[in-house]
Amino acid sequence: MGVFTRITDIVQANVIAALDKAENPEKLVKLMIQEMEETLVEIRSTSAKFLAEKKELQRTQANYQQSAQYWQEKAELAVSKERDDLAKAALVEKHNATLQADALSDELGRIEHTLDKLTQDSQALQQKLTQAKAKQESYSQREQVLTSRLKVNSQLHSNKIADAMARFELIERKVDDIEAQVESYELTQAKTLQAQFSELESSDKIDEQLAKLKEKVAHKAAV
């Protein structure tokens, strides 16, 4: 594919529409930018070649024009000396030089037209490249925003989990405290009940011992 055909294809392409319809617009925009930049490099190279050719033709044309002017002066000199034969020969050389100079004018005109077209195409292509890069920047910003949102949502999700775990642990501690209080109360109640029975048993023993002691004292008094 020639540079002019490629330029035409790119310039006529609707960059934004192509990107919007693409399944992978981020990848496509990178490829398009690469293609445009490579084409711009080729345009500059082609333009440089035409400019070099233009300068060379201009130098050659200037030489022919100088030659035509030289033979014009020689013809005038011959006429002044009444040498019509030399004047005619000089005019023939002038005519040939003029024809060569005029022929180069046509070639220079074609080169000028080509250079103008390359300049216009380069400007149009540069505009397309600017659009593509703007789209790429838009994708990059969207990616950064989405990445940031994902990170924030992930952090919020992690914080929610941490908060839930903290609340669960707090509830567990409260339940443990209540269970401990119940166990302590039940243990205290069990100890109190046991103590009461122990007191009853101890009281019966004391009463028994008191009765024996009274019986013993009464027996001594009777003796």
Side-chain angles (χ1 to χ4, degrees), residues 48-58 107-108 111:
K49 292 177 181 178
F50 277 110
L51 283 172
E53 185 178 355
K54 175 185 175 181
K55 291 179 180 180
E56 180 63 27
L57 290 176
Q58 286 175 333
E107 183 64 23
L108 283 169
I111 291 177

Side-chain angles (χ1 to χ4, degrees), residues 17 20 41 57 64 68 72-73 82 89 103 111 126 138 140 176 181 184 190 193 199-200 206 222-223:
D20 290 339
V41 170
L57 290 176
Y64 282 124
Q72 173 67 26
E73 293 173 355
E82 297 182 353
I111 291 177
Q126 185 63 55
S138 174
S140 177
D176 290 342
Q181 292 177 10
S184 176
L193 186 60
E199 288 178 359
L200 288 176
I206 291 174
V223 176

Side-chain angles (χ1 to χ4, degrees), residues 40-123:
L40 280 173
V41 170
E42 191 168 351
I43 289 176
R44 296 187 185 99
S45 177
T46 303
S47 297
K49 292 177 181 178
F50 277 110
L51 283 172
E53 185 178 355
K54 175 185 175 181
K55 291 179 180 180
E56 180 63 27
L57 290 176
Q58 286 175 333
R59 284 193 294 268
T60 303
Q61 185 184 52
N63 290 334
Y64 282 124
Q65 290 171 343
Q66 290 175 359
S67 178
Q69 180 61 32
Y70 172 81
W71 289 114
Q72 173 67 26
E73 293 173 355
K74 292 302 181 183
E76 293 175 359
L77 176 62
V79 169
S80 68
K81 300 297 183 178
E82 297 182 353
R83 291 291 307 271
D84 291 350
D85 56 334
L86 291 178
K88 288 182 178 180
L91 289 174
V92 170
E93 293 296 331
K94 174 193 173 183
H95 178 71
N96 292 333
T98 301
L99 288 177
Q100 293 292 340
D102 291 343
L104 290 178
S105 293
D106 293 338
E107 183 64 23
L108 283 169
R110 286 192 290 271
I111 291 177
E112 284 286 355
H113 176 74
T114 301
L115 287 171
D116 290 341
K117 189 175 187 308
L118 283 171
T119 300
Q120 294 173 3
D121 289 342
S122 177
Q123 293 173 348

